[in-house]
């Protein structure tokens, strides 16, 4: 199962979920589902924006658990 690694990346950068929410400009419901790994898709532009804001690569943004 592929999941987003947003919360640890935010902590590493010293930023809050609220900061990221404001930067992304998306609805809070969609933001919350994304951060809590309750979404089944994410578009490439959003991935690029997350990588820019969190100063990371897509490899750092996603985690894969082969057992799920």
């Amino acid at each position: 199962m592929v999941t987003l690694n947003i919360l640890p990346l935010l902590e590493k950068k010293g930023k809050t979920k609220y900061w990221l929410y404001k930067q992304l400009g998306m609805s809070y419901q969609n933001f919350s589902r994304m951060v809590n790994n309750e979404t089944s898709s994410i578009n490439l532009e959003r991935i690029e924006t997350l990588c820019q804001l969190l100063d990371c690569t897509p490899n750092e943004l996603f985690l894969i658990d082969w057992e799920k």
Side-chain angles (χ1 to χ4, degrees), residues 37-65:
N37 287 300
E38 297 169 353
T39 186
S40 59
S41 67
I42 183 170
N43 73 30
L44 292 174
E45 289 176 12
R46 182 78 63 211
I47 293 169
E48 181 180 3
T49 301
L50 284 167
C51 287
Q52 289 173 343
L53 291 171
L54 298 173
D55 191 29
C56 68
T57 66
N59 284 344
E60 296 168 304
L61 185 61
F62 293 98
L63 298 175
I64 297 177
D65 183 351

Side-chain angles (χ1 to χ4, degrees), residues 6 8 12-13 20-21 23-24 26 28 34 36 44 48 50 52 54 64-65:
I6 292 176
K12 179 180 172 185
K13 191 163 176 66
L20 184 60
Y21 163 67
Q23 298 298 311
L24 292 173
M26 57 194 298
Y28 187 77
M34 180 182 71
N36 294 317
L44 292 174
E48 181 180 3
L50 284 167
Q52 289 173 343
L54 298 173
I64 297 177
D65 183 351

